[in-house]
Amino acid sequence: MQTNIKWQKSIFSSQYKLFSNHQDVGYLSHNMSSLLAKSRLKNRNFSFITNGFWSRETKMFDVESDTEIGNIIYYDSLTKAAISFQGDSYTFEYTDKMRDNWQVTNESGIKIAYSGSFRKGTIQGNTSEPLLLIVGLFIANLFWQKTITAIFAILIVVQLFYFFGS
C-alpha cells in the first residue's frame, strides 16, 4: 500500500503537523529541551524517549498499551541509524549530501522515502504502518537538533576563546 504524507511546521514551533489528502492525520512534537517526543499518526499514539541529549539510543513506546515496541541506535556520524521494530531491523540513512532526502528501508522490501527540511516535506512509503512512517521524521529532527546544538556550542567556545584569549 502506497502512503503519501506531507508535514509542515512554523519556524519556532516544536510540532510537525502531518497531512494526507489535505486532511490532518497526526503530528510529531519534539522540543529541543526535552528528551521525550510524542507522535500521533492514523489514530495511533507513540512516544520516543531518549536517555540523554547525546545518547546513542531512543526507545519507542505504544502509548495506549504503555509498552516498549522498538528502539533506535544512532551512529556517531549523525547520518545513519538502526531501527528495531516488531522483530524486524530497518536502516535510516540520508540519500544526498545536503540531507534533504533520506529513507528508512529493510531487507524485506519496506522503503519509506522522505524529502524536505525542518520546516516542510513529504513522506512516501510502501507501508501503512504508522510508526515506520513517522520514525524517519523523528530521527531527522533529532539529528537537526543535535547539529544546531553543536554549532552553537562551537560558536560559544570560539567567542570565549576570543574574549579570554585577548
Side-chain angles (χ1 to χ4, degrees):
M1 172 181 195
Q2 185 68 22
T3 303
N4 296 303
I5 298 172
K6 294 184 182 214
W7 78 76
Q8 67 182 34
K9 79 174 197 128
S10 61
I11 195 158
F12 295 111
S13 174
S14 62
Q15 186 174 78
Y16 293 88
K17 295 179 181 178
L18 307 171
F19 301 92
S20 181
N21 295 323
H22 305 288
Q23 300 286 327
D24 182 349
V25 293
Y27 69 89
L28 170 67
S29 181
H30 191 197
N31 190 318
M32 273 183 84
S33 63
S34 176
L35 301 176
L36 169 68
K38 296 179 181 180
S39 176
R40 179 180 51 79
L41 182 59
K42 297 185 177 186
N43 296 318
R44 299 257 324 266
N45 293 301
F46 305 102
S47 62
F48 300 87
I49 300 175
T50 308
N51 291 327
F53 187 73
W54 294 107
S55 174
R56 293 187 49 170
E57 181 179 15
T58 296
K59 295 182 184 226
M60 302 181 294
F61 292 86
D62 180 293
V63 173
E64 280 80 28
S65 65
D66 194 29
T67 57
E68 183 177 339
I69 56 175
N71 71 335
I72 306 164
I73 303 293
Y74 308 105
Y75 293 79
D76 291 333
S77 64
L78 297 182
T79 60
K80 196 170 183 180
I83 303 160
S84 178
F85 172 62
Q86 294 182 336
D88 289 325
S89 297
Y90 302 85
T91 301
F92 167 99
E93 61 189 337
Y94 288 100
T95 58
D96 68 344
K97 291 184 191 265
M98 296 301 294
R99 297 185 181 189
D100 292 333
N101 298 286
W102 59 98
Q103 64 185 9
V104 169
T105 58
N106 77 352
E107 293 179 2
S108 300
I110 297 292
K111 181 176 181 181
I112 304 147
Y114 304 80
S115 179
S117 67
F118 73 96
R119 297 246 355 259
K120 65 181 178 177
T122 62
I123 303 169
Q124 296 180 326
N126 63 353
T127 181
S128 61
E129 172 55 52
L131 182 67
L132 289 178
L133 293 166
I134 197 70
V135 71
L137 181 57
F138 167 79
I139 295 170
N141 182 63
L142 184 70
F143 285 175
W144 291 327
Q145 289 179 0
K146 288 182 177 190
T147 301
I148 290 168
T149 301
I151 290 170
F152 279 125
I154 290 168
L155 290 173
I156 289 170
V157 168
V158 167
Q159 288 297 318
L160 289 173
F161 182 74
Y162 177 78
F163 180 74
F164 289 113
S166 306

